[in-house]
Each structure stands twice: as structure tokens, then as C-alpha cells.
Amino acid sequence: DKDKDVLFFRNGRIPIKSLEPGSAYKLICRDSREQFKSMLTDLEKKEIRNKFDEIDANHDGRITLGELQDYFRKQCAKREEVYRKLYSTDKAVLEKKLQMMRETNDSLVTIFQEQDTDQNGLIDFNEFLLSEAHSRNFDYALRQLEEQ
């Protein structure tokens, strides 16, 4: 039996039904984020650059975990203020929104490690761009599914 090539994306999945039982496969790994990066418009790239520059507080071209945490704390404070105004009469919804923010804060280390693909303890712009491209593509796919 000749091996069949299976393309597996690092941040994606292979549909199991497409694999034939009892067949041999050669796994080809690629990072799907590169493909998603090529799909970004110039405006999206500019938006991502602006966000990167905002997080990179010391403007050295790299994001540290501390800078990401500081950025997230500031964003959470802004959101909490808005949520408290929007949901002042619905305490259950307000608490749910605030809990989601706390859970995201708890997972910042994991998020940072996933974005830091070369594992040097810093996120450079290309790593950030790849991660944002993947995230935007995933959000787009979810919207498409919701519309069906």
C-alpha cells in the first residue's frame, strides 16, 4: 500500500470521515495561520499593527507577558464600566460578563504561550499577526456557521 498524504494544520483539524480505515497515511504538518495571514486585507493588517503597538508599552517591537497583562487589565476596567451601565438592572447578566473577563485573565499565560511560537518569552509582530489572523478567520467561520 502506498502512503496517502494527509494535510494537517497545526491549529486545525482533519475530518475523521475523510480517512479510510486500514490505510497508511503520511502526515504533513503545516501551520494554518500562515494561510490565514495571507487572507488579511491591508486595513486589517493596519488594525492589528495598531493593536500590537498599543500592547507593546515600551515600544521595543516585542510584547512581554507583563505588557499583555497590563493591556488586558486596562481593557477589562473599560469593559467593566460599560457593562455596569448596560446591565445595571440585570445582575445575572452582569455577573456572567464579569466572570468571563476573570476567566480570560486567568488564561492569559496560556494565550501568551500559544502566541509565542518560538518560545523565547516574547511575542514579536509576526507571531502576533499570525495569531490575530487565525483568530479573525475562526471568528469569521463561526459567523458563517451561525448564518446557515
Side-chain angles (χ1 to χ4, degrees), residues 62-79:
R62 301 171 300 189
I63 296 173
T64 64
L65 178 58
E67 286 174 322
L68 183 63
Q69 290 169 325
D70 289 346
Y71 173 81
F72 189 75
R73 268 192 291 279
K74 291 173 189 171
Q75 294 301 309
C76 284
K78 291 177 188 176
R79 284 187 183 176

Side-chain angles (χ1 to χ4, degrees), residues 8-13 29-40 45 48 110-119 123-138:
F8 175 78
F9 288 112
R10 180 173 161 218
N11 292 323
R13 295 186 176 96
C29 294
R30 291 204 184 125
D31 192 333
S32 60
R33 294 174 300 177
E34 281 291 344
Q35 179 182 3
F36 298 143
K37 183 175 97 172
S38 69
M39 297 165 64
L40 292 171
K45 289 176 187 174
I48 293 168
T110 303
I111 292 167
F112 184 87
Q113 290 171 340
E114 288 174 358
Q115 289 186 348
D116 180 21
T117 56
D118 64 7
Q119 302 299 299
I123 299 171
D124 63 35
F125 180 67
N126 191 56
E127 289 171 320
F128 189 76
L129 182 63
L130 291 172
S131 179
E132 286 290 309
H134 181 262
S135 178
R136 288 172 186 234
N137 188 286
F138 183 75

Side-chain angles (χ1 to χ4, degrees), residues 41-91:
T41 66
D42 289 340
L43 178 61
E44 288 173 315
K45 289 176 187 174
K46 185 175 180 172
E47 290 169 354
I48 293 168
R49 169 51 85 177
N50 290 340
K51 184 177 178 182
F52 179 87
D53 291 343
E54 187 177 349
I55 298 170
D56 179 21
N58 67 0
H59 306 291
D60 67 352
R62 301 171 300 189
I63 296 173
T64 64
L65 178 58
E67 286 174 322
L68 183 63
Q69 290 169 325
D70 289 346
Y71 173 81
F72 189 75
R73 268 192 291 279
K74 291 173 189 171
Q75 294 301 309
C76 284
K78 291 177 188 176
R79 284 187 183 176
E80 183 173 347
E81 185 179 326
V82 170
Y83 289 160
R84 289 193 184 281
K85 289 177 184 174
L86 285 175
Y87 304 109
S88 61
T89 59
D90 194 340
K91 300 297 180 193

